[in-house]
Amino acid sequence: MIKIAGAELDLKKFLEKYPLESVESEIVEKLSKSSRTYVYASEDELLFETGMRRNIIKASMELYRGRLGFRTFHESKCNEDFWIRREDGGFELKKNVKASDGIRDIFKNMRKYATECATAIVIIFYAAVLESFGENLFNTAFTELTLMNWMQMDELMGIVTYRKLMDYLPGDCRYFKNPDVNPLTPEWQGENTIDLSGGNYYGHGIGIGNSERIIKVLNDNRVEDAQASAYLMDTATRPNFENLYEYKKHAAAVTVMPPVPIPAPAAVAAPATPIPVPAITVTPATPTPAATVTPPAPVPVPPSPA
Amino acid sequence: MPANPLSLLDNVRSCNGMDGLRNFYSNLLKKDREKALELINDQYMKFGTLYQLRYECSSPQVDKALNPLYRKALQIIPELSGRAVRHSEAVMRSDGDSTCPALRWMLKTGFDEDELGDVYDQIMEHTAALLTRSFHDADLLPEIAEMIFIKNRSGKLIHELVWAFFEARKPESLTLITQRLISTDSRDVGLAKRLLCFIPCIRENSNVPMSIVHAKAMTWLQKNLPFLYYTGESLHLSGHPLLYAVEWNAKYLCRPVSAGDGELLSILNPFENELIKHFEELPENSRRILADFSYMLYRSNFRQWTHWIQLPLASQENLAVRYMGGLA
């Protein structure tokens, strides 16, 4: 069930917003039919989450179509005009580069990049936020980016791995584990995938397919006398949609805030003679911190599924 | 135990660097082949030095004269450095009598090298994974743990080493990580907290001094060790993987589990099966308290435990709550 501001969602009316069989419909229907109650503060918040999940899927499809290369962390590569390749195989945004430009370059110059599956998912999540936030807000929110794995993601993303959930949704990152992997090819120990809806997954380095296909590819990379098959784990890794929504909402509120009314000054006659200006003494400048735009602090929200 | 003496070639490497070592050895091979062969076969030589001299050692005259352990190590370097052919793991396993000692020597003498480059690091990762997974050899887990923390301090990749360490499926090896909670290096403490976040006192974000957290974590491990199993999670799946979990059914019955999959190591009798049926219907928190109480009583007073475990579940709960301080 979905509750919006305490009241049950009018599913039929809400679904009118989306084309039939769209990803958003699948998400909302799944949440509505669940025995668990999903609580949203407003319809806008639900729209944000479904929209961002769609953007996650869109970014996955773009990485797939653009054929982003697969390489282990040891051999990863990036466009060094935008990123610095770190010793651990992750990419760090260069100081003079805007976060949005860094992310967009991956999609524009894909052949200059090659990564492992976890980094691909990190790229997908950031690309989805860029799409949902727009360039200006994205660049305010993220000034330093590291693309590697979950640990290096910005706190605002609020990445959490949930276990044993009642409902898994399109846009979730799901993990396929390969317990009998060949230890000489540990890159096949598992696959981070994006649930594309309709039972399909995108796994970087494997491609798009249903769970059987992903499992088959992993099984092909096991030790010779393997006993255990690869399997889909009971986990889902998600950004904190609620947190991101609150951030966007507060940023929007700041942007559209009406100007503070200032009473019109009383008519003052211009002085006949110029007001004497005191001489300015130049003293060695004390270093002052560069002016920074402080984004509204993200509202701390306890992590909750969906 | 006194440390092994440093071989002459290790000494040359440590004083003159890698190029110095290679120059020295190439010249020696030309001038005094006998001496060169004697030095390369030094029983105390480290793998890092042999790795640096792998091209000099590839000539048939040196290869033929190498001791079998060092020759094997050189033979398997290509497979270990990421150029694995499909069957190489199986071949190595079938040749375990010579491969396993070579892998052990490589790891034991080469784990603390941090300047030999990416390919060397990859060789160490694969060596660790082969030992723990293919050869089920957990003797060198202390060296693997040390290597993880060395690499972490220098900002290098640790994912595959962490994976190899936990794939050993040895809950007792967790103390090797726990001791880093009281390290003076904050990077060690941070990583240890990440890897042990399945332990409740570590998950809790508090300002408790690390010495207390360490003591609590050790106590928790002691109370749960026979019932811990490896979940298969890794740093690839999550930034805070829950690498081990407690099998509560087993703890309630005080029966140890397989650390690999959490399966009970013994078959339950009908009475125990019935107990578990009812136990599983309880809310998670109640199950946790009952299981904790059960094992505590089992260890402290086995006679009382045999009496308690036969009580109806509600009475068991009453006693457990009275003793353990209530169901939150």
Side-chain angles (χ1 to χ4, degrees):
Chain A
M1 185 205 294
I2 300 177
K3 277 193 169 179
I4 308 269
E8 194 175 338
L9 175 77
D10 183 344
L11 182 65
K12 207 174 149 201
K13 198 174 156 206
F14 192 82
L15 287 178
E16 284 169 8
K17 297 178 197 292
Y18 303 116
L20 277 176
E21 293 177 14
S22 64
V23 170
E24 289 94 333
S25 307
E26 186 180 327
I27 295 165
V28 175
E29 282 191 62
K30 205 164 186 183
L31 293 175
S32 286
K33 285 177 187 160
S34 175
S35 55
R36 191 194 158 118
T37 304
Y38 293 89
V39 178
Y40 293 86
S42 65
E43 234 181 68
D44 228 32
E45 189 188 328
L46 178 57
L47 283 169
F48 176 84
E49 180 176 330
T50 52
M52 195 172 140
R53 285 182 177 277
R54 164 173 277 286
N55 291 336
I56 289 171
I57 292 168
K58 190 177 152 221
S60 309
M61 297 299 290
E62 283 173 22
L63 283 195
Y64 170 66
R65 290 196 194 105
R67 298 180 177 206
L68 175 68
F70 182 89
R71 285 208 190 165
T72 62
F73 284 124
H74 284 292
E75 295 163 337
S76 64
K77 65 167 184 174
C78 59
N79 182 354
E80 293 184 2
D81 291 341
F82 291 80
W83 302 90
I84 298 161
R85 187 185 175 279
R86 299 194 323 184
E87 270 211 273
D88 61 6
F91 313 144
E92 206 171 283
L93 189 69
K94 283 181 128 177
K95 287 282 174 238
N96 56 343
V97 174
K98 282 198 273 184
S100 59
D101 292 344
I103 295 294
R104 287 208 172 114
D105 185 68
I106 299 170
F107 291 84
K108 203 167 131 193
N109 289 309
M110 220 172 265
R111 70 199 152 71
K112 293 186 176 173
Y113 296 83
T115 72
E116 274 224 1
C117 64
T119 311
I121 305 285
V122 171
I123 293 168
I124 288 167
F125 279 177
Y126 275 124
V129 178
L130 172 57
E131 189 80 13
S132 300
F133 272 20
E135 193 178 309
N136 286 342
L137 183 59
F138 186 80
N139 289 331
T140 310
F142 306 105
T143 49
E144 293 171 359
L145 282 188
T146 300
L147 308 178
M148 201 222 168
N149 66 1
W150 312 114
M151 267 313 282
Q152 277 86 24
M153 286 192 84
D154 195 282
E155 248 179 66
L156 177 62
M157 296 291 282
I159 296 292
V160 174
T161 300
Y162 298 96
R163 295 159 180 91
K164 295 180 181 152
L165 286 176
M166 195 164 280
D167 306 293
Y168 293 98
L169 301 168
D172 279 346
C173 171
R174 304 292 310 278
Y175 193 76
F176 288 83
K177 166 96 181 160
N178 191 9
D180 272 354
V181 66
N182 183 339
L184 291 175
T185 53
E187 63 272 23
W188 291 105
Q189 68 182 262
E191 181 76 2
N192 279 296
T193 64
I194 294 291
D195 180 339
L196 297 177
S197 82
N200 283 319
Y201 299 87
Y202 164 67
H204 175 52
I206 292 183
I208 290 177
N210 57 19
S211 57
E212 286 77 21
R213 176 159 184 266
I214 308 277
I215 287 168
K216 188 189 174 305
V217 176
L218 290 173
N219 280 348
D220 289 344
N221 288 282
R222 292 181 293 171
V223 286
E224 273 192 1
D225 52 355
Q227 307 281 316
S229 169
Y231 63 96
L232 178 59
M233 285 185 87
D234 217 357
T235 60
T237 302
R238 298 170 173 169
N240 189 330
F241 297 104
E242 196 179 347
N243 214 17
L244 290 163
Y245 169 74
E246 288 292 334
Y247 184 88
K248 189 182 178 190
K249 196 175 84 177
H250 283 107
V254 170
T255 315
V256 300
M257 197 196 295
V260 181
I262 301 167
V268 178
T273 48
I275 299 167
V277 180
I280 298 169
T281 321
V282 179
T283 51
T286 18
T288 48
T292 50
V293 178
T294 315
V299 176
V301 181
S304 64
Chain B
M1 201 168 68
N4 285 336
L6 207 58
S7 79
L8 194 134
L9 291 176
D10 285 318
N11 229 326
V12 172
R13 178 160 70 106
S14 111
C15 298
N16 301 346
M18 291 161 202
D19 290 340
L21 169 71
R22 293 187 67 181
N23 288 338
F24 169 80
Y25 198 70
S26 304
N27 289 334
L28 190 65
L29 261 178
K30 283 177 206 150
K31 285 181 194 155
D32 186 349
R33 196 168 143 261
E34 284 300 306
K35 186 71 187 166
L37 294 177
E38 185 196 319
L39 291 183
I40 199 80
N41 279 313
D42 188 321
Q43 63 168 318
Y44 295 118
M45 191 174 66
K46 290 182 170 185
F47 172 61
T49 295
L50 182 68
Y51 176 75
Q52 281 304 307
L53 295 175
R54 63 195 182 284
Y55 298 115
E56 286 73 12
C57 293
S58 62
S59 71
Q61 51 168 350
V62 180
D63 182 72
K64 212 165 55 184
L66 269 180
N67 76 48
L69 188 77
Y70 296 177
R71 192 186 307 131
K72 188 70 195 176
L74 287 176
Q75 268 172 16
I76 57 180
I77 280 177
E79 277 96 339
L80 296 172
S81 57
R83 282 180 278 144
V85 289
R86 190 161 173 71
H87 305 295
S88 49
E89 190 269 348
V91 172
M92 283 193 210
R93 219 165 355 128
S94 67
D95 189 23
D97 287 349
S98 62
T99 305
C100 193
L103 292 170
R104 286 173 61 89
W105 171 73
M106 291 162 73
L107 189 69
K108 200 167 178 55
T109 66
F111 75 96
D112 55 354
E113 306 273 5
D114 200 31
E115 304 292 333
L116 294 184
D118 224 28
V119 174
Y120 181 87
D121 291 347
Q122 215 167 337
I123 289 171
M124 282 293 111
E125 287 168 6
H126 287 153
T127 302
L130 277 168
L131 280 170
T132 58
R133 284 186 53 91
S134 301
F135 293 104
H136 307 290
D137 186 333
D139 289 353
L140 297 179
L141 286 177
E143 281 80 359
I144 300 175
E146 182 62 30
M147 197 163 31
I148 290 169
F149 285 90
I150 291 173
K151 301 274 178 244
N152 183 57
R153 271 177 241 136
S154 52
K156 288 190 176 171
L157 184 71
I158 55 165
H159 290 47
E160 311 304 3
L161 284 173
V162 168
W163 173 72
F165 180 88
F166 283 93
E167 281 289 325
R169 300 159 193 221
K170 295 277 178 202
E172 55 273 29
S173 70
L174 290 168
T175 52
L176 295 167
I177 310 289
T178 315
Q179 69 197 39
R180 263 76 182 193
L181 288 170
I182 43 172
S183 164
T184 49
D185 192 314
S186 61
R187 291 166 296 189
D188 291 0
V189 178
L191 178 60
K193 284 168 89 173
R194 263 174 81 189
L195 299 178
L196 297 173
C197 66
F198 58 90
I199 301 178
C201 67
I202 290 174
R203 223 171 24 241
E204 290 155 10
N205 245 341
S206 65
N207 294 324
V208 178
M210 286 317 292
S211 56
I212 294 175
V213 175
H214 171 256
K216 279 185 171 180
M218 290 300 286
T219 310
W220 187 89
L221 281 178
Q222 197 188 15
K223 285 180 178 171
N224 291 287
L225 209 58
F227 318 109
L228 283 178
Y229 66 96
Y230 173 55
T231 61
E233 291 197 10
S234 66
L235 288 173
H236 288 274
L237 180 149
S238 169
H240 289 90
L242 300 180
L243 288 151
Y244 275 90
V246 178
E247 176 46 61
W248 296 107
N249 289 5
K251 191 172 184 187
Y252 171 59
L253 294 177
C254 303
R255 295 288 196 96
V257 295
S258 152
D261 55 13
E263 290 294 317
L264 283 160
L265 292 173
S266 51
I267 298 165
L268 299 184
N269 61 37
F271 170 70
E272 287 170 319
N273 273 320
E274 193 65 18
L275 275 177
I276 286 300
K277 211 172 91 183
H278 297 300
F279 179 75
E280 282 180 337
E281 287 166 4
L282 294 172
E284 195 185 328
N285 200 40
S286 307
R287 290 199 296 135
R288 196 166 291 197
I289 287 179
L290 266 186
D292 285 345
F293 180 76
S294 177
Y295 189 51
M296 187 272 299
L297 192 60
Y298 179 90
R299 288 203 307 172
S300 59
N301 192 330
F302 181 70
R303 272 188 59 202
Q304 273 190 2
W305 180 81
T306 52
H307 173 69
W308 173 83
I309 199 75
Q310 294 188 52
L311 295 172
L313 207 54
S315 309
Q316 285 185 16
E317 265 192 278
N318 278 338
L319 282 165
V321 168
R322 271 211 313 237
Y323 185 85
M324 307 285 281
L327 296 173

